[in-house]
Amino acid sequence: MRGKAEKVIKLLEAEYPDEVKTSLHWNTSLDLLVATILSAQSTDKQINKVTEVLFKKYHTAADYAYTPREQLEEDIRSSGFYKRKAKYIQEICSILVEEYDGEVPASMEGLTKLKGVARKTANIVLGNAFGIVEGIAVDTHVMRLSKRLGFTEQKNRDKIERDLMEIIPRDKWLPLNYLLIAHGRKVCNARKPDCDHCILNKICPAAFAFPHNKSQ
Ligand code: SF4
C-alpha cells in the first residue's frame, strides 16, 4: 500500500505543483488559527475576504477575547455559522491570554487542549505556521478520497489519520492534505467524481464505480 500511496502522491504533485500549503491568508500563527476556525463549512476564498478586513482590526488574542461578542459576530458574519465561530474564537483566545501569554502554543498537545481545536486544525496550524508536522489534517475531501483510493476503511477522522500516517511518507504529510483537497474539488468531488478524466483512474479501486462515468 505504501508504494501505491507514493505513486498517487507523485501523480498529484505533478498535477497540482502549487498545492503544498494552505490557501488561507495569514501573517501570524494567531491569524492562521482564527482563519482555520472560520474556514469550517466555508471556502478559503470566502474566508480570505473576511480576514482581509478582520486582521487589520484584531492583532492579538486579547483583541479577540475582549471585544464585545456582538461586534466579533458582526465582523465574521459572512463566514457562516458566525455565532458559534465567534464563541469558539473568544473562548480560545481567552485561554491563550490567561495561560499562554497570548501566544498560540506550538505543540499538538497545547493546541488540542484548546476547546474546539481538533487535530485537523492543530495539524494545519502546526505545519504551516511552525513547520512542525505531527500528523495529517483530515477534512471532508481527505476522508472521501482516502476511502475511494483504498487507503482506509475507517469513518472516524483520527483513525483515518492513523491509517494514512502508516502508509504516507512523513515528508508528504503536510502537502497530502492540500493535494487531496485540490483533486477533490477539481475531479473527485463528492457526488460526481469525473473518473473518465482522472489521472488516478488506473490505480484507484473506486474508478468507474459511479454510474455517470462511461468508461469501464
Ligand atoms: S478514479 Fe474516480 S473515484 Fe478514483 S480518485 Fe479519480 S475521480 Fe475519484
Side-chain angles (χ1 to χ4, degrees), residues 112-182:
T112 51
K113 262 194 203 158
L114 301 171
K115 194 179 171 208
V117 176
R119 283 187 63 92
K120 184 191 85 166
T121 299
N123 276 319
I124 291 169
V125 173
L126 282 177
N128 288 278
F130 298 110
I132 297 170
V133 180
E134 284 200 18
I136 296 170
V138 177
D139 67 2
T140 52
H141 293 289
V142 176
M143 286 173 90
R144 184 176 72 255
L145 269 77
S146 298
K147 279 183 210 158
R148 286 179 180 170
L149 288 162
F151 293 163
T152 186
E153 291 182 354
Q154 301 290 345
K155 290 188 176 139
N156 171 283
R157 278 176 201 252
D158 289 353
K159 288 182 182 169
I160 292 173
E161 185 185 357
R162 278 205 289 277
D163 281 353
L164 291 175
M165 286 162 74
E166 290 278 318
I167 57 168
I168 306 290
R170 196 177 179 117
D171 64 331
K172 302 297 181 190
W173 286 3
L174 182 63
L176 179 77
N177 172 267
Y178 303 107
L179 292 168
L180 292 181
I181 289 174

Side-chain angles (χ1 to χ4, degrees), residues 177-216:
N177 172 267
Y178 303 107
L179 292 168
L180 292 181
I181 289 174
H183 197 59
R185 284 194 183 130
K186 200 170 164 202
V187 182
C188 188
N189 54 53
R191 296 214 179 128
K192 249 186 154 189
D194 186 5
C195 303
D196 280 332
H197 301 105
C198 177
I199 49 161
L200 306 178
N201 66 15
K202 300 246 178 337
I203 47 175
C204 173
F208 309 118
F210 302 89
H212 61 272
N213 285 302
K214 293 189 183 69
S215 307
Q216 292 290 332

